[in-house]
């Protein structure tokens, strides 16, 4: 799987991306967040592509997007991470989390921390993030879908 930046030529891949009702309890469909990324220069839509299929989607949000979750001006926020419903259980979400630190270091050399907010009711996602090095910061934020646990991943060698 390869992580790439979204371009308008990827619209048909996004249109074919399926999320279940259960997934939509905790995240948004890319078709809802990509317009925000296109309108705001500090939001970046990222696609996980495998064999010309969109299997993972997330957004990275710099600057003002991070502020409710971190006081670090060099942090970036991981938002709306999802795996396409028909691709669940194949390791694509794990692969995205494994590739993310290097991807961020290459694409955003000024960033030294990745933060995310996971719904307290989404225990599976929280365990997955912990497995890949994210630590609970102790910060809690009220989100539109409930209380969120803020987690952090410090990028090695970045100050």
């Amino acid at each position: 799987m390869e992580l790439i930046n979204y371009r308008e030529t990827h619209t048909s891949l996004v249109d074919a991306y399926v999320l279940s009702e259960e997934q939509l309890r905790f995240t948004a469909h890319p078709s809802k967040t990509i317009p925000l990324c296109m309108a705001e220069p500090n939001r970046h839509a990222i696609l996980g592509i495998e064999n010309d299929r969109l299997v993972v989607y997330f957004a990275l949000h710099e600057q003002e997007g991070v502020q409710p979750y971190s006081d670090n001006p060099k942090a970036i926020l991981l938002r709306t991470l999802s795996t396409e419903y028909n691709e669940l259980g194949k390791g694509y979400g794990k692969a995205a989390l494994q590739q993310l630190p290097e991807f961020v270091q290459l694409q955003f050399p000024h960033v030294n921390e990745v933060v995310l907010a996971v719904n307290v009711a989404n225990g599976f996602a929280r365990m997955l993030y912990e497995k890949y090095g994210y630590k609970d910061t102790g910060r809690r934020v009220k989100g539109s879908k409930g209380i969120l646990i803020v987690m952090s991943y410090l990028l090695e060698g970045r100050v």
Side-chain angles (χ1 to χ4, degrees), residues 64-84:
E64 70 281 347
V66 179
Q67 291 172 355
Y69 309 101
S70 174
D71 299 323
N72 179 0
K74 293 183 177 183
I76 197 163
L77 178 66
L78 171 63
R79 305 183 81 123
T80 63
L81 174 64
S82 64
T83 300
E84 204 275 347

Side-chain angles (χ1 to χ4, degrees), residues 91 93-95 97-98 123-136 151 153:
K94 293 173 186 174
L97 288 173
Q98 287 175 318
F124 175 81
R126 188 171 64 238
M127 288 189 327
L128 184 66
Y129 295 135
E130 287 171 352
K131 181 177 179 180
Y132 288 95
Y134 287 82
K135 306 282 188 237
D136 185 339
M151 301 182 81
Y153 183 99

Side-chain angles (χ1 to χ4, degrees), residues 31-42:
S31 64
K32 301 282 188 224
T33 64
I34 288 173
L36 297 171
C37 294
M38 302 306 287
E40 298 178 32
N42 293 326

Side-chain angles (χ1 to χ4, degrees), residues 101-152:
E102 183 179 353
F103 181 83
V104 169
Q105 289 177 320
L106 290 171
Q107 298 283 324
F108 307 94
H110 57 283
V111 169
N112 66 7
E113 179 184 22
V114 178
V115 295
L116 61 85
V118 60
N119 192 295
V120 295
N122 195 350
F124 175 81
R126 188 171 64 238
M127 288 189 327
L128 184 66
Y129 295 135
E130 287 171 352
K131 181 177 179 180
Y132 288 95
Y134 287 82
K135 306 282 188 237
D136 185 339
T137 65
R139 187 179 276 199
R140 302 294 182 264
V141 176
K142 180 153 177 38
S144 62
K145 297 181 181 193
I147 300 297
L148 305 172
I149 298 169
V150 178
M151 301 182 81
S152 167

Side-chain angles (χ1 to χ4, degrees), residues 6-80:
Y6 170 82
R7 289 186 211 74
E8 288 188 20
T9 56
H10 299 123
T11 302
S12 62
L13 295 176
V14 173
D15 291 344
Y17 195 80
V18 175
L19 294 177
S20 70
E21 289 300 318
E22 177 67 14
Q23 288 174 295
L24 290 169
R25 284 185 52 213
F26 302 115
T27 194
H29 192 276
S31 64
K32 301 282 188 224
T33 64
I34 288 173
L36 297 171
C37 294
M38 302 306 287
E40 298 178 32
N42 293 326
R43 284 190 194 225
H44 313 277
I46 311 299
L47 310 180
I49 303 293
E50 177 75 22
N51 296 325
D52 298 321
R53 294 184 334 273
L54 175 57
V55 295
V56 169
Y57 171 81
F58 59 89
L60 294 171
H61 198 170
E62 298 178 88
Q63 299 175 357
E64 70 281 347
V66 179
Q67 291 172 355
Y69 309 101
S70 174
D71 299 323
N72 179 0
K74 293 183 177 183
I76 197 163
L77 178 66
L78 171 63
R79 305 183 81 123
T80 63

